[in-house]
Amino acid sequence: MHHGAARRVAIVAANRIPFARSNTAYFKLDNKTMLTDTLRGLVQKCQLQGEMLGEVAGGAVMKHARDWNLVRESVLGSGLHPNTPAYDIQQACGTGLEAAILVANKIALGQIDAGIACGTDTTSDAPIAVSRGMQRTLMAMNAARSSGARLKAALGLVNPKHLVPEIPANAEPRTGKSMGQHAQITANRYGISREAQDELALASHRNLGKAYDEGFFDDLVMPYHGLSRDNVLRADTTLEKMGKLGPAFDRNGGTITAANSSPLTDGASAVLLASEEWARKKGLPILAWLAAGEVAAVDFIDEREGLLMAGAYAIPRMLRKHGLALQDFDFYEIHEAFASVVLCTLAAWESAEFCRDKLGLVQPLGSIDRAKLNVKGSSIATGHPFAATGGRIVATLAKILDQAGGGRGLISICAAGGQGVTAILEK
């Protein structure tokens, strides 16, 4: 599997469409359309028309059965050489970053020279399924070998219960609780206040708005279907406006609201990764290096650990493997599924008890400089199309490091199922 010495992996370029609040600008679009267009934009940007890459990896969380080969189909419409292999992955909200890690590993091992990591999601085109009873009835009709048998099977269609469709549930299969309900329980455990969450959400909107105004995203986000920037962004919001919203998941004293949470969002993103030699040969810039990745999972059943706290475990593992301290970073990108997730993660690393009992450390990891956190905004202000978030964050951090002239950045993305995907970027 290993071909020669391990190579450094360059983040060469990226492209995404503006993220749109569900049921707005992209209401009539599907995952394949958004992903194909996003890949095509990246291909045109890097002049890769007709180029055969090593692979394209990515996926979607909310996916129709018809999209079983989503990424390959999107590649075939992207302008890349049709001989470019592609495959789908899915690790909930960590999909985009996990795709980048998978592509990077193959580049590092010398199996391929360049590849694209991508992701797309839409809740405007959610896969609404027929009921289980209807599905079994239709399958029985299809399997019937005579008109009589087919008619007998069709009697199941008159059952009113079978006519009710199955809507995708925003809940963990193991617990029946929504992600927001789990996040509220964890916020209560760590004593995260409503005010602290609203302040972090406000910073997300202000940082993103400033970044757009300064032109930071001009070469990362392509205009699409009437949007030139994410329509979730509320650069003029205030703490007073946020304070008027009621609790979203616990009506009796809950601290998580629609204002300090990421909304349901549609969008797609793609990142081009390559070996240094390939990038130089193509005359493409090296924005940053993808230096490390780490994935973790926690047992969240019966609230043994917070559903979205796996990043708090993955990061220390990664730091230990690379001989780094939490403070050895110039920038931090912690995905804002909810403001409370970011604040709970930071609180855990500052806690002597958590670091001793959960991580086996002698002393806490400590605090970070908040001025280095999500400096160009994050998911609360940008939106969160599940599988597309990883690509957005990798691209943003890579450009931040490039503009800074160097440095080191840390990424942490929480995901459903008690998982977390993390990475280190360097320049």
Side-chain angles (χ1 to χ4, degrees):
M1 297 296 289
H2 189 273
H3 300 277
R7 303 184 296 183
R8 292 197 295 177
V9 180
I11 300 166
V12 173
N15 183 55
R16 73 174 176 90
I17 58 177
F19 290 172
R21 190 180 294 272
S22 180
N23 298 319
T24 59
Y26 306 155
F27 177 73
K28 296 182 179 181
L29 303 182
D30 58 20
N31 275 323
K32 189 172 77 170
T33 298
M34 292 191 300
L35 184 57
T36 301
D37 291 343
T38 299
L39 288 172
R40 187 183 298 117
L42 181 60
V43 168
Q44 293 173 349
K45 174 181 178 179
C46 299
Q47 298 183 355
L48 296 177
Q49 293 89 340
E51 186 78 23
M52 186 173 72
L53 299 184
E55 70 177 25
V56 178
V61 177
M62 302 290 287
K63 189 161 68 171
H64 288 272
R66 65 174 181 263
D67 290 330
W68 60 273
N69 209 12
L70 172 66
V71 179
R72 172 61 176 162
E73 289 296 322
S74 297
V75 165
L76 290 173
S78 70
L80 288 172
H81 195 287
N83 289 2
T84 299
Y87 59 93
D88 285 28
I89 69 166
Q90 199 265 73
Q91 196 170 20
C93 307
T95 299
L97 181 54
E98 179 64 15
I101 293 171
L102 292 173
V103 173
N105 283 341
K106 289 189 178 181
I107 294 171
L109 292 173
Q111 296 175 5
I112 63 175
D113 292 317
I116 293 174
C118 59
T120 180
D121 257 301
T122 169
T123 47
S124 297
D125 184 37
I128 299 175
V130 298
S131 68
R132 177 67 171 170
M134 174 70 81
Q135 186 261 352
R136 296 318 301 164
T137 296
L138 294 174
M139 293 300 293
M141 290 174 62
N142 185 63
R145 292 291 181 260
S146 67
S147 298
R150 191 172 296 112
L151 181 60
K152 182 179 179 181
L155 293 176
L157 296 177
V158 301
N159 188 332
K161 292 182 179 180
H162 292 174
L163 301 179
V164 179
E166 292 186 0
I167 308 296
N170 180 24
E172 287 292 322
R174 297 279 175 174
T175 66
K177 294 186 179 71
S178 71
M179 188 174 286
Q181 289 173 316
H182 276 284
Q184 183 63 73
I185 292 170
T186 309
N188 293 345
R189 179 182 301 165
Y190 282 91
I192 306 299
S193 70
R194 163 77 179 268
E195 291 72 23
Q197 294 175 58
D198 284 354
E199 287 171 1
L200 190 143
L202 179 63
S204 186
H205 284 283
R206 287 181 172 174
N207 288 343
L208 182 65
K210 181 180 179 182
Y212 268 110
D213 291 343
E214 293 175 346
F216 178 85
F217 291 108
D218 287 354
D219 62 344
L220 295 180
V221 179
M222 72 177 194
Y224 192 65
H225 282 260
L227 294 183
S228 58
R229 59 174 62 186
D230 316 300
N231 72 4
V232 175
L233 172 62
R234 298 290 182 267
D236 61 348
T237 193
T238 64
L239 289 176
E240 290 72 25
K241 291 179 181 178
M242 290 181 173
K244 295 178 181 179
L245 297 182
F249 304 104
D250 181 357
R251 298 299 179 185
N252 299 314
T255 57
I256 297 179
T257 72
N260 55 44
S261 308
S262 58
L264 294 175
T265 318
D266 309 333
S269 67
V271 178
L272 177 62
L273 305 164
S275 67
E276 181 175 8
E277 180 181 5
W278 189 92
R280 304 292 187 200
K281 183 178 179 180
K282 294 293 182 182
L284 294 169
I286 294 174
L287 301 176
W289 306 100
L290 180 51
E294 187 79 24
V295 181
V298 296
D299 183 0
F300 62 95
I301 310 302
D302 297 328
E303 295 301 320
R304 289 189 275 271
E305 181 52 276
L307 173 72
L308 304 177
M309 291 297 289
Y313 292 81
I315 292 294
R317 288 184 198 168
M318 189 164 57
L319 296 179
R320 184 170 59 252
K321 290 177 181 178
H322 295 272
L324 295 169
L326 183 60
Q327 293 72 31
D328 291 340
F329 294 86
D330 302 283
F331 302 98
Y332 302 83
E333 289 286 334
I334 303 179
H335 162 49
E336 298 163 353
F338 304 89
S340 65
V341 172
V342 179
L343 297 172
C344 287
T345 299
L346 296 178
W349 290 336
E350 295 169 1
S351 166
E353 180 182 1
F354 177 88
C355 290
R356 180 188 66 244
D357 298 343
K358 304 289 189 178
L359 305 178
L361 301 177
V362 176
Q363 58 187 18
L365 289 173
S367 60
I368 68 169
D369 182 350
R370 293 286 189 90
K372 301 176 180 179
L373 173 65
N374 297 346
V375 298
K376 301 299 181 182
S378 194
S379 301
I380 289 174
T382 311
H384 175 37
F386 311 120
T389 287
R392 173 190 68 77
I393 292 176
V394 168
T396 298
L397 182 55
K399 183 171 180 179
I400 289 172
L401 292 171
D402 184 55
Q403 283 194 340
R408 183 182 290 124
L410 185 66
I411 298 173
S412 179
I413 299 178
C414 59
Q419 301 185 93
V421 187
T422 64
I424 294 173
L425 271 56
E426 297 177 345
K427 180 69 183 281

